[in-house]
Amino acid sequence: MTLFELKDKFVKGEVSAVEIVKAYFQRIMLVESKIKAYITTAKRDALVKEANELDYTLSKWRKTTPLMAMPIAVKDNICTEGVKTTCGSRMLENFVPPYDATVVARMKEYGYYLIGKTNMDEFAMGSSTENSAFGPTRNPWNLAYIPGGSSGGSAAAVAAELCVAALGSDTGGSIRQPAACCGVVGLKPTYGRVSRYGLVAFASSLDQIGPVTKDVRDAAVMMQMIAGHDPLEEVELAVRTAIIQMQALKAEIKEISLPMTKYAIATYYLIATAEASSNLARYDGVKYGYRAAKEKGLLEMYMKTRQEGFGAEVKRRIMLGTYALSAGYYDAYYGKAQAVRTLIKRDFDEAFKAVDVIVTPTMPTPAFKLGEKIQDPLQMYLSDIYTISVNLAGVPAISLPCGLSNGKLPIGLQIIGRPFEEEKVLRAAYAYEQATEWHLKKPGL
Ligand code: GLN
């Protein structure tokens, strides 16, 4: 049965949740050992119990949701709370995500059953599912053949009736290519149509989650379930609301573009680390500051002092900066970054011909948790996307409160001005502040 057909029968009460769950587990018992579509399958007893309870509730109060009791498989690079998500890699062999991907959260809300996590090429890199650390998946049409990849497990699971529909991810064909190999339907959506939150990144500007289904109608049904604006971007909402309020205060709103912003983080982390490596050279244990104890020679004293006196991030920056400035690399890194810095500055010059001040979020997210990004410097650097280009361009900017997140954390609004126009920046900020209440909110300490 297709998803559409099964849903229909379930809604009409012609088939119960328990019957559905048992039928799929029976199928898994029968053929999964030949196909190996799954890295993890759901626990049968637990799911039967859940289905039992659901059937009981429905017998009292018949109210269904769009994916209620539908056994759907999810590719193992899409985060599922409490269920292992390996990406087909030893690297994440024991990774149990503490949260659901947005697509999974949506399907949960619609009542789906996670029947299993499907096999895939490691980190979605491949076209045959042979690159999985957990062994290959086989093509249900002929076990001697590949199912395609990297979403080979999802396509094989749908083709072999080991689930009623599945999710895959497609960076360069990884939904469509295995769908083709296994005789099922696979849709790669428009970039941005489906949230990537909770999809383990392979190539972020290309990755998309999409459905793998038995027929075209099912692909449309699944798209309706997973597509749409991701409300996790609450910063955007707060900032857009602030802009509307400014309009009400008689500000004239014009959309502008700062196209070089995409290079800002790379440029900043070259220039800032280069300058830091040179500035921090003075902390050598001689002139002032910490000095390592009882050392043999001068060189060893320098080395020990710096090794013991600096923390990990500062060391990382000194090393990056020293590298960027070193002979043979200077032109490629530091010199190039300075050239791009000029282009970033020109973006602002251009924009300020049309507007007096520029309004942006200050940060892409509210504050993150302690420990959340400390192990991942690149993630940490990305939180600077809205602020860094302002420094590179040398212009003034202010941040002021413009909202609170669902988690009751402040959201900041950035107002950027022309060089030496702090007064205008302050006036715009003050007008907004006086018209709103965000600055009056206090933490509930
Ligand atoms: N086969 C391509 C690769 O190996 C695309 C994979 C994908 O879409 N994830 O990169």
Side-chain angles (χ1 to χ4, degrees):
M1 251 179 269
T2 67
L3 172 65
F4 192 90
E5 290 162 352
L6 188 64
K7 249 175 73 156
D8 189 56
K9 279 204 189 307
F10 177 74
V11 169
K12 287 183 178 144
E14 290 169 26
V15 55
S16 71
V18 170
E19 283 173 315
I20 294 173
V21 167
K22 284 188 172 166
Y24 275 94
F25 276 105
Q26 196 171 0
R27 182 70 182 166
I28 286 172
M29 236 154 59
L30 214 60
V31 297
E32 166 61 4
S33 61
K34 295 183 213 167
I35 310 289
K36 302 233 159 54
Y38 289 112
I39 292 176
T40 306
T41 47
K43 296 201 168 51
R44 185 183 186 279
D45 293 350
L47 211 52
V48 170
K49 185 165 173 270
E50 204 181 319
N52 242 317
E53 283 159 14
L54 176 65
D55 285 335
Y56 179 76
T57 315
L58 285 176
S59 71
K60 306 259 157 214
W61 189 50
R62 208 150 182 95
K63 189 169 185 298
T64 58
T65 53
L67 290 179
M68 192 177 269
M70 297 298 115
I72 293 171
V74 174
K75 187 175 178 178
D76 216 20
N77 58 350
I78 300 172
C79 285
T80 42
E81 185 181 346
V83 179
K84 227 170 41 168
T85 299
T86 69
C87 267
S89 180
R90 290 272 166 239
M91 193 58 84
L92 292 175
E93 193 171 8
N94 297 311
F95 172 53
V96 179
Y99 66 97
D100 279 323
T102 294
V103 289
V104 170
R106 276 172 168 252
M107 295 200 305
K108 228 180 216 178
E109 199 179 302
Y110 293 137
Y112 95 122
Y113 285 154
L114 176 64
I115 184 82
K117 299 296 297 286
T118 55
N119 198 15
M120 55 182 283
D121 286 302
E122 183 173 9
F123 284 104
M125 298 173 186
S127 313
S128 68
T129 316
E130 291 169 293
N131 296 336
S132 168
F134 308 102
T137 294
R138 293 174 182 276
N139 191 316
W141 294 80
N142 185 328
L143 300 178
Y145 286 73
I146 58 141
S150 65
S151 313
S154 292
V158 172
E161 318 256 8
L162 297 164
C163 61
V164 70
L167 290 185
S169 69
D170 193 313
T171 303
S174 275
I175 288 174
R176 293 158 289 157
Q177 191 260 26
C181 289
C182 292
V184 296
V185 173
L187 172 67
K188 187 213 80 90
T190 312
Y191 184 79
R193 183 103 199 217
V194 176
S195 169
R196 283 185 301 112
Y197 180 78
L199 170 67
V200 180
F202 159 15
S204 310
S205 73
L206 302 167
D207 299 339
Q208 268 293 276
I209 294 174
V212 180
T213 55
K214 293 186 183 182
D215 66 6
V216 173
R217 187 167 58 181
D218 276 7
V221 172
M222 285 294 283
M223 273 303 285
Q224 276 185 314
M225 300 296 131
I226 61 172
H229 180 73
D230 192 334
L232 283 172
E233 292 149 33
E234 49 196 357
V235 170
E236 183 185 349
L237 183 65
V239 170
R240 287 200 186 278
T241 307
I243 291 172
I244 291 167
Q245 284 165 321
M246 289 174 164
Q247 201 163 16
L249 295 169
K250 302 274 183 309
E252 191 190 328
I253 309 298
K254 270 193 201 149
E255 207 165 296
I256 54 121
S257 175
L258 301 168
M260 291 296 151
T261 303
K262 57 177 177 287
Y263 303 120
I265 290 183
T267 304
Y268 171 87
Y269 279 100
L270 281 166
I271 293 175
T273 58
E275 293 182 15
S277 75
S278 149
N279 277 325
L280 272 62
R282 70 188 64 151
Y283 300 101
D284 58 5
V286 177
K287 298 179 193 75
Y288 41 74
Y290 177 82
R291 174 189 279 206
K294 292 193 235 96
E295 285 317 325
K296 294 192 191 94
L298 180 64
L299 189 62
E300 199 170 319
M301 190 278 290
Y302 282 161
M303 295 199 318
K304 275 267 171 152
T305 293
R306 291 170 69 80
Q307 192 176 64
E308 293 168 7
F310 291 134
E313 181 63 24
V314 169
K315 281 182 191 154
R316 176 158 39 236
R317 295 200 185 197
I318 291 172
M319 286 189 282
L320 283 169
T322 305
Y323 180 77
L325 289 175
S326 58
Y329 293 106
Y330 183 96
D331 289 337
Y333 293 116
Y334 188 71
K336 192 79 170 181
Q338 289 292 12
V340 178
R341 179 177 188 171
T342 303
L343 297 179
I344 289 171
K345 170 88 172 69
R346 269 188 214 154
D347 265 3
F348 281 93
D349 293 344
E350 206 45 51
F352 280 129
K353 283 184 190 159
V355 298
D356 294 310
V357 294
I358 298 170
V359 172
T360 76
T362 306
M363 246 176 98
T365 62
F368 39 86
K369 283 208 178 102
L370 279 167
E372 198 175 317
K373 298 193 180 181
I374 196 69
Q375 304 299 345
D376 189 343
L378 282 183
Q379 279 305 316
M380 189 72 91
Y381 300 166
L382 285 176
S383 59
D384 302 340
I385 181 69
Y386 293 115
T387 48
I388 265 177
S389 44
V390 169
N391 297 72
L392 291 169
V395 294
I398 196 169
S399 179
L400 68 161
C402 75
L404 283 178
S405 70
N406 291 336
K408 296 283 167 285
L409 286 166
I411 297 174
L413 181 75
Q414 179 173 240
I415 303 178
I416 310 168
R418 297 190 189 110
F420 300 106
E421 291 198 352
E422 282 84 352
E423 188 194 321
K424 205 175 274 172
V425 169
L426 286 165
R427 264 195 277 129
Y430 187 67
Y432 172 78
E433 185 185 71
Q434 292 311 299
T436 55
E437 308 249 283
W438 298 113
H439 63 295
L440 301 174
K441 305 252 188 257
K442 302 289 167 214
L445 267 177

